[in-house]
Amino acid sequence: MKKGIGSLILVVAIAVMVTACGGNNKGEQVPANNKGAATNTKKQAVEGTNKEEPAKEGSTETRTIKYLDKEYVLPAKVERIVITGAVEAMEDSIVLDVQPVGAISFRGEFAPMFQSITKNAVSTGEKMEPNFESILSLKPDVILASTKAPPEMEEKLAAIAPTILYSHVSTNWEANLKLLGELSGKEAQAEEVITKYKTDLEAAKVTLSDKLKDKKVLAVRIRTGKMYVYPEKVFFNPVLYSELGLTVPDVIKAAKAQEEISVEKFTEIDPDYLFVQFSPDENKDTPNAFEELQANPIMKTTKAIKEGRTFVNVVDPLAQGGTAYSKIEFLKAIMEPLNK
């Protein structure tokens, strides 16, 4: 009974929000600024988000799609895709040139990495802080949220429109891309991208197999001035270990989630090659963290630093690592460094 009352309250709250933010679409939404690009005006925002008209009021035609063993009932024609929380869906949108009407902003702006897909988009809030009023006003046909979203967030989003939790697990990258391809009518393009990546991967393995035999390769992310590693199936690790077949360091095998590693632990690993992802946004209070780590006398004894085989941000630091976009860009970017 309590659950039924809770659902009723949620529906009433959504109805109130729709009224408040202007169900007649009179309220204007301003897209987040694109760094390095001219600021969009309110008029451009309204015109941009109205280019694709929502389905006719009262339309009841639906279709059922299957994704990661779950079925979802969606409008027969999906035109208005909204992304909140799922940076992975943003990356896949770049690959397939999908233009969501709502997308994630970072500190109030659309990052340059996503400029090609956010020219006419409206901010749906920060990564895990959705702006429900903004999402409501966009009248989405489908919402792509993250599997990291808490249940209460998913419930609120599902009350607005059909909501699919887009996987953040690297090994689901093909399923993710195929889902977005199906939603956007670009299934063939998604298949082509997957096939090409696998072809490029096989060529890379031939080139690097002898070169990297018995070599240790490690990818880390620096956040709040500390070094972190990730499990074997997360971040860029699937590319390095399961796909390229490189030796998996014990610290990666043991990792259950994002885990901090100390300078002392790093020296035990003593990688031959080191790939570092460093975002200023994640190191606001420690902007010189990486330089300080490199200057550390103990760190200087490791092969990757001592021999000049440390590579910072070979792909955009916002790249999640386990998406089609991340894998394609990372594979291209590491070929030259790993051939050194």
Side-chain angles (χ1 to χ4, degrees):
M1 183 68 180
K2 287 183 179 179
K3 185 176 179 182
I5 293 172
S7 299
L8 179 59
I9 291 172
L10 178 63
V11 171
V12 171
I14 294 296
V16 171
M17 288 175 71
V18 170
T19 304
C21 67
N24 59 3
N25 209 29
K26 286 182 181 178
E28 294 181 345
Q29 289 287 339
V30 183
N33 293 335
N34 282 296
K35 291 180 181 177
T39 302
N40 291 314
T41 63
K42 289 187 178 181
K43 182 179 178 182
Q44 287 173 324
V46 174
E47 290 174 350
T49 56
N50 285 335
K51 283 182 180 177
E52 293 183 73
E53 293 297 327
K56 290 182 179 180
E57 294 284 339
S59 174
T60 56
E61 291 185 18
T62 62
R63 60 169 164 156
T64 300
I65 66 170
K66 191 172 183 179
Y67 167 65
L68 297 180
D69 298 324
K70 289 185 180 181
E71 291 188 342
Y72 299 87
V73 178
L74 306 175
K77 189 174 182 181
V78 172
E79 295 180 322
R80 301 181 67 79
I81 297 174
V82 162
I83 301 173
T84 178
V87 180
E88 293 81 4
M90 298 272 286
E91 291 192 28
D92 283 343
S93 294
I94 298 173
V95 175
L96 298 182
D97 191 27
V98 171
Q99 303 289 318
V101 295
I104 306 163
S105 57
F106 299 82
R107 297 177 69 185
E109 299 177 315
F110 290 130
M113 174 176 162
F114 301 113
Q115 186 175 354
S116 65
I117 63 164
T118 55
K119 292 173 183 175
N120 296 314
V122 169
S123 171
T124 57
E126 302 296 295
K127 188 174 178 181
M128 293 305 289
E129 300 173 0
N131 182 328
F132 294 105
E133 184 175 344
S134 176
I135 294 169
L136 270 164
S137 72
L138 290 170
K139 300 181 181 179
D141 293 319
V142 64
I143 299 170
L144 299 180
S146 172
T147 44
K148 295 178 182 179
E152 58 271 20
M153 184 186 296
E154 180 187 1
E155 186 178 2
K156 288 179 181 179
L157 292 170
I160 297 172
T163 299
I164 300 175
L165 298 186
Y166 212 83
S167 179
H168 72 283
V169 179
S170 298
T171 49
N172 290 328
W173 74 277
E174 289 185 57
N176 282 354
L177 195 67
K178 289 178 181 179
L179 168 65
L180 189 62
E182 185 174 0
L183 293 175
S184 61
K186 296 186 175 184
E187 297 98 327
Q189 187 176 333
E191 292 289 353
E192 288 171 8
V193 169
I194 292 168
T195 299
K196 186 178 186 309
Y197 174 73
K198 291 181 177 180
T199 300
D200 292 343
L201 180 64
E202 289 305 311
K205 287 166 72 173
V206 171
T207 302
L208 299 174
S209 58
D210 291 335
K211 178 77 177 177
L212 297 179
K213 187 177 181 181
D214 300 323
K215 298 292 185 182
K216 296 178 186 176
V217 181
L218 186 70
V220 303
R221 190 188 293 278
I222 296 179
R223 284 179 165 160
T224 63
K226 301 171 184 176
M227 284 188 295
Y228 291 93
V229 293
Y230 297 83
E232 196 171 340
K233 294 182 179 180
V234 179
F235 196 42
F236 294 103
N237 292 339
V239 177
L240 293 173
Y241 308 126
S242 62
E243 295 178 4
L244 286 176
L246 305 182
T247 302
V248 186
D250 290 339
V251 69
I252 300 298
K253 289 180 181 177
K256 302 300 180 187
Q258 173 179 279
E259 292 190 12
E260 181 187 351
I261 58 169
S262 64
V263 169
E264 290 73 21
K265 186 66 177 177
F266 182 84
T267 58
E268 287 179 26
I269 303 166
D270 193 16
D272 296 279
Y273 296 85
L274 175 64
F275 292 96
V276 179
Q277 291 295 94
F278 181 94
S279 171
D281 286 348
E282 295 179 331
N283 294 275
K284 296 171 191 172
D285 297 327
T286 54
N288 301 315
F290 180 62
E291 287 79 5
E292 291 170 3
L293 282 170
Q294 281 187 305
N296 184 299
I298 301 175
M299 291 282 286
K300 280 179 158 182
T301 64
T302 60
K303 289 192 286 288
I305 293 177
K306 183 170 60 179
E307 298 172 11
R309 291 196 292 265
T310 299
F311 309 97
V312 183
N313 293 344
V314 293
V315 294
D316 193 293
L318 280 178
Q320 298 300 288
T323 67
Y325 175 84
S326 286
K327 292 162 88 69
I328 291 166
E329 295 301 313
F330 187 64
L331 184 63
K332 285 192 295 187
I334 65 176
M335 288 305 293
E336 184 179 345
L338 290 181
N339 268 312
K340 287 187 176 182

